[in-house]
Amino acid sequence: MDEAWAEELLTWWVETARSARSRGSGQTYAFASIAHPSVTLLRAKEDQTRQVIARVMGYTKLPVLLESQRGGSFVTVQGGIDTAEYALGRLRTRAETRAKLGTTAPTMVADALHPLIWEAASKRWDSGHHSDAVQRAATALSGLVKDRTGRYELGDSELVSQAFSLSAPQEGKPRLRWPGNDDDLNVKTMRVGILNMAQGVFAAIRNPATHTTDELPKQEALEQLATLSILARWIDRCEINTL
C-alpha cells in the first residue's frame, strides 16, 4: 500500500467531513446536510476511503463513514471522522511501532544449525570474519563426506559427484544413498536432489569462499551456512551403499 497516499486521503477525509458538520446556537453537530457541497465530495471518495481504513486497521468488513438519517436529509459524519482519525494515527505511527516491537518474521538461530557446521564456523563468525566462517564450515562438510566414504584422495567436485552418484557402487567407490525403496518416487527425487545440491554447494559456496578475498555480508553468509547445514543433515541420514 502507498502509505503516503493513504495518509493524504485520510487527512482529506477528516478535514472535509469536519467542514461539512452542521452548526447552530454556538454548537457543532455530528451530522451534515446532504445539500452541503462537502458531502458530495465525501460521497465520491467514500468507498475508496472505507477500503483504505479497512486495510490499515485489518478489518474484514468495510467501516461505515456516512449514514443517512432524518429521512435522508442529513448524514452522520462524526463517527466516520473518529474512525478515519484512528486509522490515520495508526498509519502515522506504524513504522515506529514496527521498529519498537520488532518484526514478527521468524529468525534463524545460528547455534541451532547442524553442530558440525556451526562448530566449524563459530570462532571465525564471532570475530566478524563471515566469509572465512563459511569456508571453514564448507571444509568441514567436505570432511564429513570423506569420512563417510573413505574417499580422501578426491577433490570436492569429484568427491560429491561419486559419493552421491545414482550409479551402482563399485569396488572402492561406495555411494551415499538417501534411505528407502529404490522404486519409490520420493526416494528417487531426494537422491537426485541431494546430488544436485551437493554439487551446487561446493561449486557456488565452498569454491568462492576459498578462492576470493571478498567479505560476504552477514545475512548472506548466514544463509549460506544454513544451506550447508541442511545438506549436512541430509548426509547424516544417508546410508553407505557398497559393492
Side-chain angles (χ1 to χ4, degrees), residues 190-217:
M190 277 299 299
R191 290 174 180 174
V192 172
I194 292 174
L195 170 62
N196 292 337
M197 184 173 178
Q199 291 174 323
V201 160
F202 282 95
I205 295 181
R206 174 160 160 73
N207 284 349
T210 301
H211 301 298
T212 184
T213 58
D214 295 338
E215 184 61 34
L216 282 171

Side-chain angles (χ1 to χ4, degrees), residues 5 11 16 18 23 48 58 63 71 80 91 121 148 176 196 217:
W5 168 81
T11 300
T16 304
R18 283 175 176 168
R23 293 175 175 81
Q48 187 179 61
L91 188 61
R148 294 289 310 277
L176 285 172
N196 292 337

Side-chain angles (χ1 to χ4, degrees), residues 17 20 23 37 70 95 102 107 113 128 169 171 174-175 195 212 218 221 231:
R23 293 175 175 81
R70 298 188 182 184
T107 57
L113 296 172
E171 184 67 35
R175 311 299 188 202
L195 170 62
T212 184
K218 184 177 181 180
L231 182 54

Side-chain angles (χ1 to χ4, degrees), residues 62-76:
L62 299 182
V64 175
L65 299 181
L66 299 174
E67 187 173 7
S68 296
Q69 63 169 342
R70 298 188 182 184
S73 298
F74 294 87
V75 290
T76 55

